[in-house]
């Protein structure tokens, strides 16, 4: 099909969302100005999820992208639940007690999070009671463990990730008398999801990453050019430290079978993930749960098979790697994105495209034509296109949409080619997945003035 520019735009804009942090007395006191987010599905239904929320009982903002595999159930559950676990992990003892007392006496609860959601971002109402009970058990344990010390953000992030993964596993083992819920908790546990989450509080930026989504900082250099700083590492076969970590956790006799064809046990691309109990539970437990589970589970080939060379589980962890960065005035934005973006674009290009979009200033790189023989006519076309691109750069009102347009439509000269964009967006569902992955992006814009003021106070 040939899509007109307005059809292309309506596809690209369908899931876009923007949030501006409110100002007080005409002043913005947050180090975050706001964020843009967007998603472009390749799978039907899309297996990626995104979340953003302001922490109401502590300071700070949470933003995250989640990439599901073997279905979207796990990514959905993690996108709804993880921020509550993080927020609770960060709460002081008195606030936890207040919340518990309110539940005890049936009073209204203090709201913990203010969510910033797109109307398409779904919440599973059926499971909310179950999810709430698991979360309550967690904060009750935190109250009992009270050490009186303030929680370190790094520790809170690690504890929240591990605890949620543990609860996903437990809920599936316990099951539920309601057959719909029983099937749901099993779907969540048997599918999987990676997560890349940022917590921004003043000049403190923490990124917790499990799997192969990425966080990248866009930095404006003194000469106005843009550079990219990685704030996460992929947990996959390309990361030698990660391969070593997996090998250290299992006997020498398994060394050859642990990573095959760049996959964990020859099957799984990410080496860390939520859910995926096929790589965590013992064979006995897997069999017991599947046999006593609902019929739909028995009919599912995926749940029945046991990974090859499965001797010393767990092979997979949800524990995140946490990176802390102190924000500086030259740190202008943060990009969180699932691997669908990074498979198509280099981080340096991402930094430049977003940086130029946010500032409206284009550093004209000499036109690079690689090893191509280019006629004068083609060169004239490229220059005309460049001029048109500068005048049309503001047609996207959303930085994440602008980035997706480039990720899907860039040609070999690094410019958006409408014909290519039209072709890629009109592929039928079963073909789209062969050409690209789901793409989910959040672009967070920082407030340099506020960050500079923080620095001066220190």
């Amino acid at each position: 099909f040939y899509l007109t520019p307005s059809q292309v735009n309506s596809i690209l804009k369908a899931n876009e969302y923007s949030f501006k942090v409110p100002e007080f007395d005409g002043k913005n006191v947050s180090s975050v100005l706001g964020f843009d987010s967007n998603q472009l599905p390749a799978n039907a239904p899309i297996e990626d999820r995104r979340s953003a929320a302001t922490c109401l009982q502590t300071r700070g903002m949470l933003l995250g992208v989640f990439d599901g595999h073997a279905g979207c159930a796990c990514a959905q559950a993690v996108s709804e639940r993880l921020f509550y676990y993080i927020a609770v992990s960060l709460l002081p003892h008195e606030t936890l007690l207040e919340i518990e007392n309110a539940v005890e006496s049936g009073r209204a609860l203090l709201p913990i999070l203010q969510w910033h959601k797109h109307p398409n971002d779904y919440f599973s109402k059926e499971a909310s009671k179950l999810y709430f009970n698991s979360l309550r058990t967690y904060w009750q344990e935190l109250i009992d463990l009270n050490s009186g010390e303030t929680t370190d953000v790094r520790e809170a992030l690690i504890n929240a990730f591990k605890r949620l993964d543990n609860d996903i596993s437990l809920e599936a083992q316990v099951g539920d008398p309601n057959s719909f819920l029983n099937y749901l908790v099993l779907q969540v546990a048997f599918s999987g999801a990676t997560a890349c989450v940022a917590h921004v509080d003043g000049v403190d930026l923490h990124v917790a990453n499990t799997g192969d989504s990425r966080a990248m900082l866009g930095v404006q250099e003194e000469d106005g050019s843009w550079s990219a700083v990685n704030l996460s590492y992929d947990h996959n076969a390309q990361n030698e430290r990660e391969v070593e970590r997996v090998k250290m956790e299992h006997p020498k006799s398994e060394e050859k079978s642990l990573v095959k064809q760049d996959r964990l046990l020859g099957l799984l691309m990410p080496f860390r993930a939520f859910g995926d109990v096929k790589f965590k539970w013992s064979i006995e437990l897997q069999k017991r749960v599947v046999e006593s589970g609902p019929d739909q589970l028995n009919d599912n080939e995926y749940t029945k098979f046991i990974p090859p060379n499965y001797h010393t589980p767990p092979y997979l962890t949800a524990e995140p790697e946490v990176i802390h960065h102190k924000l500086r005035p030259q740190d202008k934005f943060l990009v969180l994105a699932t691997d669908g973006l990074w498979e198509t674009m280099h981080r340096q290009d991402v930094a430049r495209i977003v940086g130029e979009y946010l500032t409206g200033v284009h550093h004209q790189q000499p036109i690079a034509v690689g090893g191509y023989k280019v006629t004068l006519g083609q060169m004239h076309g490229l220059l005309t296109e460049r001029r048109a691109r500068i005048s049309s750069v503001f047609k996207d009102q959303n930085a994440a949409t602008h980035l997706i347009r480039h990720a899907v439509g860039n040609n070999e000269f690094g410019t958006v080619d409408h014909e290519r964009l039209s072709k890629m967006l009109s592929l039928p569902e079963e073909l789209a997945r062969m050409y690209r992955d789901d793409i989910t992006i959040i672009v967070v814009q920082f407030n340099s003035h506020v960050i500079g003021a923080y620095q001066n106070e220190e």
Side-chain angles (χ1 to χ4, degrees), residues 161-224:
F161 272 62
K162 285 163 72 172
R163 176 59 181 233
L164 173 57
D165 192 51
N166 196 42
D167 283 355
I168 286 171
S169 172
L170 271 176
E171 288 156 5
Q173 290 172 49
V174 172
D176 196 282
N178 169 332
S179 61
F180 172 82
L181 271 183
N182 194 26
Y183 186 49
L184 177 78
V185 294
L186 289 162
Q187 272 186 304
V188 169
F190 276 95
S191 60
T194 68
C196 188
V197 171
H199 178 266
V200 193
D201 177 8
V203 288
D204 288 304
L205 166 61
H206 287 83
V207 172
N209 182 50
T210 286
D212 51 10
S213 292
R214 277 185 208 167
M216 181 214 90
L217 197 61
V219 181
Q220 191 164 29
E221 303 298 344
E222 282 182 9
D223 65 356

Side-chain angles (χ1 to χ4, degrees), residues 94-106:
E94 305 74 69
T95 314
L96 287 172
L97 278 174
E98 266 177 69
I99 292 174
E100 177 56 27
N101 291 336
V103 178
E104 274 287 303
S105 55

Side-chain angles (χ1 to χ4, degrees), residues 17 50-52 79-80 115-123:
Y17 178 83
R50 57 180 165 181
S51 295
S79 73
E80 290 181 42
W115 290 91
H116 310 299
K117 299 191 83 61
H118 185 280
N120 298 357
D121 295 344
Y122 159 81
F123 253 57

Side-chain angles (χ1 to χ4, degrees), residues 139-151:
W139 81 54
Q140 287 170 335
E141 285 176 28
L142 288 173
I143 289 171
D144 293 342
L145 286 170
N146 171 38
S147 56
E149 294 164 23
T150 50
T151 316

Side-chain angles (χ1 to χ4, degrees), residues 269-325:
M269 292 280 275
F271 284 15
R272 303 190 194 196
F274 282 90
D276 280 318
V277 292
K278 302 227 43 90
F279 295 86
K280 293 172 180 169
W281 289 355
S282 69
I283 293 176
E284 298 72 48
L285 179 58
Q286 291 189 39
K287 283 186 173 151
R288 181 169 67 72
V289 170
V290 172
E291 278 161 19
S292 62
D295 296 340
Q296 303 107 299
L297 200 66
N298 271 311
D299 303 339
N300 183 337
E301 285 308 305
Y302 176 71
T303 53
K304 280 209 278 220
F305 98 102
I306 301 290
N309 303 301
Y310 197 77
H311 308 296
T312 52
Y315 288 91
L316 192 64
T317 177
E319 180 168 337
E321 193 169 5
V322 179
I323 290 180
H324 172 240
H325 175 83

Side-chain angles (χ1 to χ4, degrees), residues 43-49 66-77 187-194 274 276 300 302 433 438:
N43 292 295
I46 185 170
E47 294 185 344
D48 281 6
R49 293 292 183 272
F66 311 94
D67 186 350
H69 44 265
C72 59
C74 188
Q76 176 60 43
Q187 272 186 304
V188 169
F190 276 95
S191 60
T194 68
F274 282 90
D276 280 318
N300 183 337
Y302 176 71
R433 186 66 193 83
D438 297 329

